[in-house]
Amino acid sequence: MSVVTLLRKIFMVDLIKGLSITFRYQAPSELVTEQYPMERPWIADRFRGVPRMSVNPETGEPLCIACELCALACPEKLIAIKSERNPVTKKKELLTFTYDTSRCMFCGLCEEACPSDALELTQDYEMAYFDRTGMILDRPKLEQGQEPTVYAR
């Protein structure tokens, strides 16, 4: 072993060179830290998150006409709709609407297929639950929408 290699090992020259390169690329002005629960991150405009069913503000009735086009357009077959025809008005009335977000890939095909714009994918992204039953959204949950969790220090 030569004297040069011995001195390089003793003074850890390779380590110091590597650390100098690392610290050169870590300028404090370029560091970005998000304080997540307190500060919400910026979400892209076209982000597709938790689904929501739109409601007519005047009547309080959902805009869904029970045509089942969203269920047909869904590639995962996770939307289940039950409806029945009203004998008086001769229109289909929505009885149940379930949406399983545990299998959803948020492609937006259900949203595009809806002729009455009743179903939309919102920008809500917090979908963590302790069990899978929280991921199955029924009609009241879809109409109310997801309540954002407020965190305090």
Side-chain angles (χ1 to χ4, degrees):
M1 187 187 286
S2 70
V3 176
V4 175
T5 56
L6 182 64
L7 288 175
R8 286 181 72 123
K9 284 186 178 182
I10 291 174
F11 292 114
M12 296 183 283
V13 174
D14 294 333
L15 177 67
I16 294 171
K17 281 184 183 179
L19 286 174
S20 68
I21 292 171
T22 301
F23 290 130
R24 193 176 321 137
Y25 287 106
Q26 286 187 345
S29 62
E30 297 175 10
L31 296 178
V32 177
T33 302
E34 291 181 357
Q35 303 298 322
Y36 168 62
M38 305 308 167
E39 298 174 12
R40 301 294 178 173
W42 176 81
I43 303 297
D45 294 334
R46 294 179 58 139
F47 177 78
R48 295 186 294 254
V50 177
R52 184 178 175 140
M53 187 178 293
S54 300
V55 178
N56 187 349
E58 297 171 0
T59 62
E61 294 291 319
L63 294 176
C64 181
I65 57 175
C67 64
E68 299 184 18
L69 287 176
C70 57
L72 292 172
C74 181
E76 294 294 321
K77 306 295 181 213
L78 54 89
I79 300 173
I81 300 172
K82 288 186 183 173
S83 62
E84 93 181 358
R85 192 165 298 276
N86 188 342
V88 177
T89 61
K90 306 285 188 207
K91 291 184 179 180
K92 285 175 94 176
E93 291 181 350
L94 184 65
L95 296 178
T96 62
F97 191 102
T98 57
Y99 195 110
D100 187 5
T101 57
S102 67
R103 298 182 321 173
C104 186
M105 56 185 175
F106 303 101
C107 62
L109 292 176
C110 58
E111 182 181 20
E112 291 176 16
C114 185
S116 61
D117 292 333
L119 196 62
E120 65 176 335
L121 296 176
T122 63
Q123 298 214 337
D124 298 331
Y125 55 89
E126 293 179 336
M127 295 179 275
Y129 298 100
F130 288 107
D131 57 353
R132 288 186 185 239
T133 58
M135 295 181 150
I136 299 173
L137 305 175
D138 56 350
R139 183 177 163 183
K141 286 182 184 177
L142 284 168
E143 289 175 2
Q144 294 170 0
Q146 184 177 7
E147 291 294 324
T149 306
V150 179
Y151 297 96
R153 288 189 185 239

